[in-house]
Amino acid sequence: MVATPRNTGEPPAPQRHRIVRESFTQDADRWRQEYTRRDFSSRKYRLRATVALGMLQRIPAGERRLLDIGCGAGLQANAATRAGWQVVGVDITLAMIRQAAASSTGDVRWVVAAAESLPFRAKSFDAAMMLGLIGYVADPLATLRAARVCLRPGGSLIVSWHCRAVLLGILSRALTFVPRRLYALFRAPQIHKYVSQDTETPLGVFYDRFNRAWYGDEFQKLLGSAGLRQREERVVDFGRLRFFGLPLWPEIVDVGISRALEALAHVRPFSLLKRWAFMHVVLAEPAV
């Protein structure tokens, strides 16, 4: 059975494409800055890129042709060229492609296209990479299948996906369950201004409506439906512990807790922790 996303009421594909293009056009500069800031929020994007590029370097050498699907501002594509890959960067948003081309540090070919219908010959790449993309596309299954078609025999796909069941977000909701009920009962106006309704990092209406997330092993099932199998998985970010959405300690403590949980999740006896990480980076290969 194909895994289904959490979100329902999906808009038609052309409408979703338009909404995603408009959002990323508006926020093109902000997304580039996500990789340059040094706060907790941007850490997951920087670490995701580091993990993905590490996986890329372990892929057996062929012609070293890489297809970066959903390349955004081109930071990973440029890093891959510096590591010796011939890269084609693809994004549905022209503003992102222009930004990527303007800051290109290597010989990258930039293409505007939807991830579900890639304009490339079959079996023409040694690897494909899609970071932060799969939740936004109109059809995740078609996107994965399109990427697999582009891979040569023995090729590899690096893909990231998000999970909604984030460990410290769950604990935050549990921590505030009774106080929230009491607050709802008494509605004390003197404390209202101190109470946030968020127990996890707020990601905005656009993210909540248009970036899918999966649970548990759902994404592995989706890979299987696309003719892919998972070879390796790394997880990044377990969220932040909050009380009524308020921080309990300096941000450096949040970083330390998440870093410790990330390390623990990759130790075999504690591997079940991976199920509750926010960001997953998977190295996959064609099943046949």
Side-chain angles (χ1 to χ4, degrees), residues 9 23-24 32 36 38 50 80 83 87 100 114 143 149 158 172-173 182 188 194 200 214 231 233 246 259 264:
S23 176
F24 280 88
R32 185 176 184 84
T36 58
R38 294 291 167 178
T50 299
V87 183
T143 298
V149 167
I158 300 169
S172 294
R173 288 191 291 273
L182 293 174
Y194 299 112
E200 296 180 67
W214 287 264
R231 281 171 42 196
E233 180 185 35
L246 303 174
R259 183 178 292 150
L264 199 60

Side-chain angles (χ1 to χ4, degrees), residues 6-240:
R6 174 179 181 268
N7 304 30
T8 58
E10 280 292 303
Q15 182 182 351
R16 172 177 272 274
H17 287 165
R18 177 182 58 78
I19 291 168
V20 169
R21 278 197 302 267
E22 288 175 354
S23 176
F24 280 88
T25 297
Q26 178 180 335
D27 294 336
D29 291 335
R30 183 180 69 82
W31 279 109
R32 185 176 184 84
Q33 293 168 10
E34 286 289 352
Y35 290 87
T36 58
R37 297 199 320 268
R38 294 291 167 178
D39 57 18
F40 183 88
S41 178
S42 64
R43 173 185 177 272
K44 58 179 169 284
Y45 299 107
R46 290 184 283 107
L47 188 53
R48 178 182 69 187
T50 299
V51 169
L53 291 168
M55 289 178 172
L56 188 65
Q57 289 305 94
R58 295 196 295 276
I59 293 174
E63 296 180 7
R64 295 179 74 80
R65 299 195 71 233
L66 170 66
L67 178 61
D68 186 1
I69 310 168
C71 62
L75 298 175
Q76 284 76 237
N78 286 325
T81 61
R82 292 193 294 271
W85 288 82
Q86 305 170 50
V87 183
V88 176
V90 178
D91 203 283
I92 197 173
T93 305
L94 178 59
M96 299 301 289
I97 287 292
R98 284 176 172 167
Q99 189 178 95
S103 60
S104 182
T105 58
D107 186 16
V108 183
R109 177 186 170 198
W110 306 105
V111 177
V112 177
E116 299 93 336
S117 52
L118 297 169
F120 305 107
R121 294 193 306 271
K123 302 178 182 179
S124 54
F125 292 91
D126 300 285
M129 180 166 63
M130 52 176 77
L131 303 183
L133 168 78
I134 196 67
Y136 289 112
V137 298
D139 189 334
L141 181 58
T143 298
L144 291 170
R145 285 174 172 165
R148 182 192 49 128
V149 167
C150 289
L151 294 175
R152 65 166 177 77
S156 299
L157 170 67
I158 300 169
V159 55
S160 73
W161 61 277
H162 293 169
C163 179
R164 289 284 182 181
V166 182
L167 179 62
L168 296 184
I170 295 170
L171 292 179
S172 294
R173 288 191 291 273
L175 183 65
T176 59
F177 179 80
V178 172
R180 279 184 188 282
R181 292 302 179 270
L182 293 174
Y183 167 71
L185 181 64
F186 294 105
R187 297 280 183 181
Q190 64 271 25
I191 68 169
H192 179 78
K193 62 182 179 179
Y194 299 112
V195 177
S196 167
Q197 295 303 307
D198 300 316
T199 55
E200 296 180 67
T201 304
L203 295 170
V205 174
F206 172 76
Y207 179 93
D208 191 56
R209 288 192 60 194
F210 295 104
N211 191 5
R212 297 176 186 83
W214 287 264
Y215 293 88
D217 60 354
E218 284 183 331
F219 195 78
Q220 288 190 33
K221 293 177 181 177
L222 183 65
L223 283 174
S225 299
L228 296 158
R229 61 187 173 200
Q230 180 173 301
R231 281 171 42 196
E232 182 183 346
E233 180 185 35
R234 306 291 293 181
V235 297
V236 174
D237 190 3
F238 281 83
R240 293 185 279 193

